[in-house]
Amino acid sequence: MITLVSESALLELGIMALLVALAANVVRVVSVRLAPIMGRLGWVAALIALLGLVGTLWVRSGEADYFALSNMYESLLTLAILMLGGFLVMDKWFGLRGLAWPTCLLTLATVAFAATLPTEIAPLQAALQSYWRAIHVPIIIASYAAFALSFICSVAYLVTAAVQPQLANASGSGGPSMTVLDKYDEVTYRCIAVGFPLLAIGIILGGLWANEAWGNYWSWDPKESMSLVTLLAYGVYLHLRVNAEHHPKVLAWVSVAGFAMMLITYFGVNIMGLGLHSYGKIG
Amino acid sequence: MANAATLSSTPLPSASESSFPSEVWQLLGVFRSIQLAIVLLSLLGLGVLVGVLIPQEGLVEVFDIKAQHGQWYRPMAAAGLFTVYSSPWFIALQVLFFFNLLFGSFQWLRPATRAAVQLTFCGPEHALASPHKAVLSSASTADDTLPLVTKALKKRGYWVHRRHNSATGQTRLYAHQWNISRLGPVVAHIGILLLLVASVFGAFTGFKGQQMLAPGQTGDFTALDNFTPSMSAPWWQGSKPDWQMVLHDFDIEYYAADPTTPKQYISDLELRSANGKTLARQDVSVNHPLDYEGVMFYQANFAPTGKFFLTINGEPTVASINTKVDERPISLLPIGPPEARQSLVVFPFFIQRDEGVTRNHVQVFLHDGTTPIDVGSAKNLPPHATLFEGEHQRLSTRLGSIEVGFDHPEIATGFQIKKAPETPWMYTAFAIIILGTVLCFFSQRQVWVAVVPQASGSAYGRDNATMVYLSYKTNKAKWSFLKQRASLENALVKELHATLEIGSAELMEPAAA
């Protein structure tokens, strides 16, 4: 496929735009005077970063002649895209501009980490040559993106509650009064309410794929097992939420713990290099 | 107030509501609590985490586990820490989880279904008692007010039901959105239960086994390796298929651009009936199993058989592994006149076995029978050795006066063979779980409205007004609901030319985000 722009040029565009978005959103927080213009600049830069990253994977898919989601580099770029895209949507719905800079920072860190990994386009192993790859992997990565956003909101909740204890006392009382903490709590919940079904569906579809490829739904492979731990952790979150007596602060900590489990699932198992999911090797 | 119980919160069924005797139901209370669910989910999570962090038998050799843990091996093994997923405590947790799900789900089934389908209508008293309420006084008549309120609710995605009481002149509306999502958790739980039941059913009625076959070889179901007819061995031993499995060919395809990466493993497999009739024949490869009458044949693995196809001075010859040097299996093939005491040494390296080897290959060299055999390594060949790489390259070399041609090593293919009668139930369970979890995502919202024509002397200071009492309820997204409530009330104030006597908007603190 002949492409007008190279993959690396698009990746650089994405990183530069992310840097601009991060700077603009930081300035927006510290300077009241510049806030409106910086807010707009941050949004536009984030959008350009998104296009740059999508373009990177698009061009790569063309060069590789397969859907470029087969190793850690590609999955991190996909995560960055879904995280940033998801945030832009959430921002439109909920007005979360205050969380734009941590999101840009996390996205930038994800892309920077991806850029340190081997980027060669390698042929696909036999097990990965299946239409299931284009279904199972993006759904799982989408759930990770939702959990990353829930993590940002939970940390925002915990930090804001620590800095402004009067807000923390008012939130979660069940009364009619609502504060920004209630918003963070709700967005955390909303993100988990998106991520949980996605992870459940992703795991199920992975089971179907495994059954088709190897004749086993479940092998207690470390990656499978850790993804189950992550699902159970967020399952605890959702069940705690049904029990309305729990304070949002407890829920925020459970959400942070769930994210830690997700990180072990995503990176930890690959670092240990165990099991059937060794495609996403690091380094 | 008739609807108070429904409105305050969805009630748990009382002992008298259940079909169990009350003592039994109370005893089961331990199993059905959500607190137990939270504890069990956490413990199961911790158990699986232990299984990930501590090397498990099957994934790691027992010998390595023993070496790694030394004196701690015995107590840790006794605690099932190296076989977490089959340890009694993990299975006990799963059994508890099953009963928690069973009783927990069914206690919610009835109230959740009732709450999802029941229509409830409330009057002004309920609105005034609710913490989430709004009261508007409108100069319009009740007849003009009703369509506008209904339209405003429908515009926001609500299903609106109406009930009129001609005696009081009051009209009550019940508006709801995504009420069906109340069934989400129950549906998801039923899916998990079905999954557990289906896997137990499969364990009793299916079988699983492995079969290694070299090209040209025939196998049958009587000699499957690791045959697991589950817990019902006697049932299955007698009913295993009597088919023959004939492997015509096995091939490993490599990428042209990267000859070190296998692209696909392909087995040409034929199934024959006991009387030799062909039942099915297919190229089985990874992701493309053969399915015959519900018995699946998966391409699982491959392994060299220890046979090598060679030519010696043009004569086809088969060398087989027949001895060991330095604990390494090699083939020693006497060659030439006996007095020369010469042997051809064929020494295979395999990807799976030898460190640093990226491709199966074979080294051959002549040995004079007097000095010890030195097989070296893949990277450090003994003197005069010739390395043949690949399986199908038909290379040849001259060793002294002998022309040795190397055709290929014999590779056997490994099939995973499985009969899983539970598969349709597993798929159904998966579909139900997906449906349930997706339903859970939506947040149900309810709005009760009472439109009351007001006589003179109104409590809210406007005579001959129509009073609109609204009360709200949601279970999850309270912040978004508050925003919607404010928007609804603002729209009603505008369209009805009404005054907001009590409303949500004024209760909102400015958001600082």
Side-chain angles (χ1 to χ4, degrees):
Chain A
M1 192 176 113
I2 300 164
T3 45
L4 298 173
V5 194
S6 75
E7 181 194 330
S8 59
L10 284 164
L11 183 64
E12 278 166 24
L13 171 73
I15 293 175
M16 294 308 292
L18 269 174
L19 279 167
V20 173
L22 175 62
N25 280 304
V26 170
V27 173
R28 189 194 156 272
V29 173
V30 292
S31 162
V32 178
R33 194 169 57 84
L34 293 173
I37 182 125
M38 285 297 150
R40 273 195 288 277
L41 176 65
W43 226 89
V44 172
L47 212 56
I48 292 173
L50 196 62
L51 291 174
L53 295 175
V54 171
T56 307
L57 280 185
W58 182 271
V59 170
R60 192 177 170 83
S61 292
E63 282 172 9
D65 216 15
Y66 58 74
F67 177 50
L69 191 44
S70 64
N71 62 17
M72 189 51 101
Y73 167 73
E74 291 159 3
S75 84
L76 280 168
L77 287 188
T78 311
L79 175 67
I81 290 167
L82 292 173
M83 213 155 63
L84 191 60
F87 176 78
L88 293 179
V89 173
M90 298 297 267
D91 181 38
K92 276 281 167 213
W93 282 349
F94 292 97
L96 294 168
R97 206 54 69 82
L99 301 184
W101 72 266
T103 309
C104 287
L105 188 64
L106 195 60
T107 310
L108 191 61
T110 308
V111 176
F113 179 36
T116 65
L117 297 174
T119 59
E120 298 86 44
I121 295 172
L124 289 178
Q125 292 178 29
L128 293 181
Q129 295 165 40
S130 166
Y131 58 90
W132 283 109
R133 188 175 61 85
I135 305 170
H136 165 69
V137 188
I139 291 177
I140 296 276
I141 302 289
S143 78
Y144 288 176
F147 293 144
L149 292 177
S150 76
F151 168 73
I152 292 172
C153 286
S154 297
V155 172
Y157 182 98
L158 292 169
V159 171
T160 314
V163 178
Q164 293 173 275
Q166 73 281 5
L167 284 183
N169 293 334
S171 82
S173 59
S177 156
M178 291 273 169
T179 69
V180 66
L181 285 181
D182 291 297
K183 179 152 81 171
Y184 289 156
D185 177 49
E186 181 171 328
V187 178
T188 303
Y189 165 71
R190 285 288 180 121
C191 291
I192 292 174
V194 172
F196 185 82
L198 283 176
L199 184 61
I201 293 168
I203 290 174
I204 286 172
L205 295 178
L208 297 182
W209 181 8
N211 189 44
E212 198 164 289
W214 299 304
N216 274 325
Y217 295 104
W218 193 261
S219 313
W220 292 111
D221 161 68
K223 190 109 175 169
E224 285 173 4
S225 305
M226 254 338 280
S227 69
L228 180 64
V229 175
T230 308
L231 191 75
L232 289 171
Y234 284 110
V236 167
Y237 176 95
L238 293 174
H239 283 82
L240 281 172
R241 213 177 159 94
V242 172
N243 241 7
E245 351 162 331
H246 294 281
H247 196 274
K249 207 173 194 169
V250 177
L251 294 171
W253 278 114
V254 175
S255 151
V256 170
F259 185 69
M261 295 302 114
M262 188 217 97
L263 287 181
I264 299 176
T265 313
Y266 194 20
F267 303 115
V269 175
N270 293 81
I271 289 168
M272 289 190 279
L274 287 172
L276 303 166
H277 287 81
S278 54
Y279 318 113
K281 262 183 273 184
I282 295 172
Chain B
M1 197 166 58
N3 292 313
T6 320
L7 297 168
S8 59
S9 69
T10 311
L12 288 178
S14 64
S16 59
E17 267 185 272
S18 83
S19 51
F20 287 107
S22 61
E23 296 83 12
V24 178
W25 187 250
Q26 273 171 5
L27 200 69
L28 291 175
V30 183
F31 283 116
R32 58 191 151 91
S33 76
I34 197 159
Q35 285 82 0
L36 180 67
I38 291 166
V39 170
L40 286 175
L41 286 172
S42 307
L43 288 177
L44 279 168
L46 282 175
V48 180
L49 194 59
V50 167
V52 172
L53 298 179
I54 296 179
Q56 297 293 294
E57 284 179 20
L59 282 172
V60 180
E61 294 291 335
V62 178
F63 175 81
D64 291 331
I65 298 177
K66 278 184 181 168
Q68 196 183 338
H69 291 88
Q71 58 175 357
W72 290 102
Y73 175 78
R74 271 175 171 275
M76 285 174 79
L81 296 181
F82 303 118
T83 48
V84 166
Y85 310 119
S86 54
S87 68
W89 58 268
F90 192 72
I91 292 169
L93 278 178
Q94 285 175 304
V95 171
L96 270 175
F97 181 63
F98 176 83
F99 284 109
N100 179 243
L101 263 177
L102 187 68
F103 296 115
S105 304
F106 284 101
Q107 77 169 336
W108 282 103
L109 186 59
R110 198 156 31 153
T113 314
R114 197 170 49 199
V117 298
Q118 200 173 40
L119 304 182
T120 52
F121 296 90
C122 303
E125 319 79 32
H126 171 262
L128 291 171
S130 162
H132 305 291
K133 60 179 172 276
V135 179
L136 292 106
S137 62
S138 162
S140 314
T141 64
D143 287 344
D144 292 340
T145 303
L146 261 174
L148 287 169
V149 176
T150 309
K151 193 178 145 199
L153 285 164
K154 283 187 173 168
K155 195 180 156 191
R156 285 164 181 78
Y158 285 88
W159 297 83
V160 184
H161 305 270
R162 180 175 163 171
R163 182 176 286 174
H164 180 68
N165 185 332
S166 49
T168 61
Q170 271 188 28
T171 304
R172 295 176 181 185
L173 302 178
Y174 169 55
H176 58 91
Q177 198 173 72
W178 282 112
N179 237 1
I180 195 78
S181 73
R182 283 173 182 271
L183 291 174
V186 179
V187 171
H189 286 183
I190 289 173
I192 300 171
L193 280 171
L194 181 60
L195 188 73
L196 293 173
V197 172
S199 54
V200 171
F201 169 71
F204 275 94
T205 54
F207 70 78
K208 201 184 267 185
Q210 278 103 44
Q211 174 76 282
M212 293 295 297
L213 287 177
Q217 216 178 350
T218 300
D220 61 34
F221 283 77
T222 53
L224 295 184
D225 293 326
N226 298 327
F227 180 69
T228 47
S230 338
M231 299 152 222
S232 55
W235 302 358
W236 259 112
Q237 293 291 7
S239 50
K240 276 195 284 189
D242 60 354
W243 314 324
Q244 301 286 310
M245 293 171 267
V246 184
L247 182 72
H248 291 282
D249 195 13
F250 173 65
D251 197 18
I252 303 176
E253 266 183 19
Y254 290 87
Y255 281 100
D258 178 7
T260 60
T261 306
K263 186 180 178 188
Q264 190 53 278
Y265 309 86
I266 305 157
S267 302
D268 179 357
L269 178 69
E270 181 189 345
L271 292 183
R272 282 185 197 154
S273 65
N275 57 16
K277 195 180 144 219
T278 300
L279 302 170
R281 183 168 175 178
Q282 185 188 312
D283 278 349
V284 177
S285 59
V286 180
N287 284 316
H288 303 98
L290 163 64
D291 176 358
Y292 183 72
E293 289 192 352
V295 181
M296 308 289 289
F297 298 80
Y298 299 90
Q299 178 64 54
N301 55 6
F302 67 95
T305 60
K307 270 189 191 170
F308 308 95
F309 294 95
L310 308 168
T311 54
I312 294 175
N313 291 332
E315 284 293 310
T317 308
V318 178
S320 297
I321 296 288
N322 52 11
T323 185
K324 275 186 177 180
V325 170
D326 296 342
E327 293 301 307
R328 296 294 313 247
I330 66 166
S331 164
L332 211 54
L333 192 69
I335 206 165
E339 62 277 12
R341 296 172 65 196
Q342 261 191 340
S343 295
L344 181 73
V345 178
V346 183
F347 176 37
F349 290 92
F350 295 116
I351 297 174
Q352 300 95 325
R353 193 184 298 152
D354 301 303
E355 208 176 318
V357 173
T358 54
R359 183 94 196 250
N360 295 334
H361 60 244
V362 164
Q363 64 179 36
V364 293
F365 54 93
L366 285 177
H367 182 246
D368 62 8
T370 55
T371 53
I373 297 174
D374 171 19
V375 293
S377 68
K379 287 179 185 162
N380 181 22
L381 293 177
H384 314 301
T386 300
L387 191 68
F388 292 134
E389 286 197 272
E391 284 91 35
H392 287 279
Q393 299 196 15
R394 293 189 172 77
L395 296 169
S396 65
T397 186
R398 179 161 282 282
L399 299 173
S401 61
I402 301 166
E403 177 82 21
V404 178
F406 175 67
D407 191 347
H408 66 278
E410 187 180 67
I411 310 266
T413 184
F415 294 107
Q416 162 99 327
I417 301 162
K418 187 172 94 159
K419 165 119 181 167
E422 79 281 16
T423 302
W425 294 107
M426 295 291 270
Y427 280 52
T428 308
F430 289 150
I432 293 175
I433 295 171
I434 290 173
L435 176 71
T437 49
V438 169
L439 272 180
C440 289
F441 166 73
F442 297 99
S443 139
Q444 101 263 356
R445 294 171 176 181
Q446 289 161 297
V447 181
W448 291 272
V449 185
V451 177
V452 185
Q454 196 76 355
S456 57
S458 154
Y460 292 101
R462 193 196 293 215
D463 287 348
N464 301 318
T466 301
M467 300 302 296
V468 181
Y469 296 86
L470 298 114
S471 54
Y472 311 92
K473 192 174 168 225
T474 187
N475 62 337
K476 293 164 190 165
K478 294 193 168 68
W479 193 87
S480 309
F481 193 34
L482 195 73
K483 267 178 71 178
Q484 191 187 53
R485 282 157 54 183
S487 125
L488 174 73
E489 286 158 24
N490 287 339
L492 289 179
V493 164
K494 206 168 146 194
E495 287 174 30
L496 298 173
H497 307 292
T499 308
L500 191 65
E501 307 289 352
I502 302 172
S504 317
E506 64 190 287
L507 301 173
M508 268 181 84
E509 288 181 16

